[in-house]
Amino acid sequence: MIIFAGPSLANVALPGTGIIEIRPPVRQGDVYLATLEGPSAIGIIDGYFDGVPSVWHKEILWAMSQGIAVLGASSMGALRAAELDAFGMIGIGSIYGDYRDGVLEDDDEVALTHGPEEFGFAPLSVAMVNLRATLAAAVLAQVITQHQADAVIDHAKAIFFKDRTWDKVLRDPEVAEPGPDHCQNLLDWIAENEVDQKRDDACLLLDRMVTGQFQRPVPDFLFEQTDLWVHSTQKWQERRKEPDAPEVGGYRLLGDTNFFS
């Protein structure tokens, strides 16, 4: 089995089962190439999107048409699962559920910046889904009121995802009321109690695959071999010969720090 993941599994002790191979965040063509290897299941957690073509819905459909279970959670996987669960993709976790039910709609809810692979994809900004989950916990703990939490969420949503950090969100005068001391107290509480919803959902997917809690799909759709599909698969197969070659054709390989995660 193969899982595509990055920052969502940062600092997570991965099981040494030997039955799952963890690969970097998925980009377009990776699911197609993984399918050629004949795994029983493919898990999608994190994926490229900014400057690199994102994993294509059609390659996920093709994987399922070949009898391979495709599971999604946490980030890019949650988005694709919400879009393709009607075709048999298996969505896992609360983030997937919120996209499926229309509670979440924007892609930036799961987007963040992070460090390179050599440093374990360490997150450098905070995704909205984690921010929302953490503030909900703070309200339950009576650290802040629901009114204050709503104000912080509105302010955070207006910040570009690459710049969205707890410091930037909470130290803004508009949300720092009733004062800097309260802001610092909240930051201290978050440092000890931050909820990482993306990690929690990613771990659920990992557990489902390790324990074999999934079924191979029985597709009820006809996969169309379009001209674009044939052209794309030929291009992706060239990648197998030169795996480090940059993408061409209008895309640039700048996505090393940008993931849905």
Side-chain angles (χ1 to χ4, degrees):
M1 294 182 284
I2 296 169
I3 291 178
F4 294 97
S8 291
L9 286 180
N11 302 317
V12 173
L14 300 174
T17 64
I19 61 173
I20 291 181
E21 178 183 347
I22 305 293
R23 296 185 180 179
V26 69
R27 57 175 170 161
Q28 193 173 101
D30 285 347
V31 168
Y32 168 77
L33 294 175
T35 299
L36 295 179
E37 300 173 35
S40 59
I42 295 173
I44 300 175
I45 295 177
D46 296 315
Y48 288 97
F49 71 97
D50 186 12
V52 173
S54 300
V55 59
W56 193 9
H57 302 76
K58 199 170 181 69
E59 58 186 305
I60 296 173
L61 291 173
W62 185 72
M64 293 189 291
S65 76
Q66 303 302 302
I68 296 172
V70 183
L71 299 84
S74 179
S75 180
M76 179 67 80
L79 286 166
R80 288 294 182 266
E83 295 158 344
L84 295 175
D85 54 4
F87 297 92
M89 186 171 177
I90 302 169
I92 296 169
S94 66
I95 298 172
Y96 153 72
D98 283 347
Y99 276 117
R100 177 198 59 201
D101 298 338
V103 176
L104 299 177
E105 296 182 347
D106 300 334
D107 292 349
D108 85 305
E109 290 284 337
V110 290
L112 54 69
T113 58
H114 58 83
E117 183 175 5
E118 306 91 276
F119 295 96
F121 299 111
L124 301 176
S125 63
V126 58
M128 280 301 302
V129 289
N130 281 2
L131 186 143
R132 292 180 190 276
T134 301
L135 293 177
V139 172
L140 286 175
Q142 299 185 330
V143 177
I144 57 174
T145 66
Q146 186 62 58
H147 176 74
Q148 290 170 325
D150 291 341
V152 173
I153 290 171
D154 289 344
H155 181 64
K157 189 67 176 173
I159 298 174
F160 185 47
F161 78 90
K162 293 183 179 180
D163 300 325
R164 191 180 291 139
T165 65
W166 281 113
D167 263 347
K168 188 173 182 63
V169 171
L170 294 178
R171 293 195 185 283
D172 188 286
E174 292 184 8
V175 298
E177 296 179 355
D181 290 343
H182 179 78
C183 170
Q184 187 58 53
N185 289 339
L186 181 54
L187 283 170
D188 292 342
W189 184 89
I190 290 171
E192 297 292 330
N193 301 281
E194 183 173 13
V195 178
D196 193 336
Q197 192 62 57
K198 295 175 297 165
R199 180 187 60 199
D200 293 348
D201 285 8
C203 288
L204 285 176
L205 182 148
L206 189 62
D207 182 66
R208 286 278 292 273
M209 292 182 67
V210 168
T211 58
Q213 299 180 60
F214 61 86
Q215 294 183 334
R216 288 177 178 256
V218 182
D220 60 356
F221 58 88
L222 177 64
F223 185 83
E224 294 285 350
Q225 297 270 358
T226 62
D227 289 345
L228 179 58
W229 172 256
V230 173
H231 171 77
S232 297
T233 55
Q234 291 172 346
K235 178 181 173 183
W236 296 335
Q237 292 199 47
E238 289 296 315
R239 186 190 301 170
R240 302 175 78 185
K241 303 173 185 174
E242 299 181 78
D244 297 327
E247 294 287 346
V248 295
Y251 292 107
R252 55 193 171 82
L253 192 59
L254 292 178
D256 293 336
T257 58
N258 300 298
F259 293 94
F260 285 128
S261 62

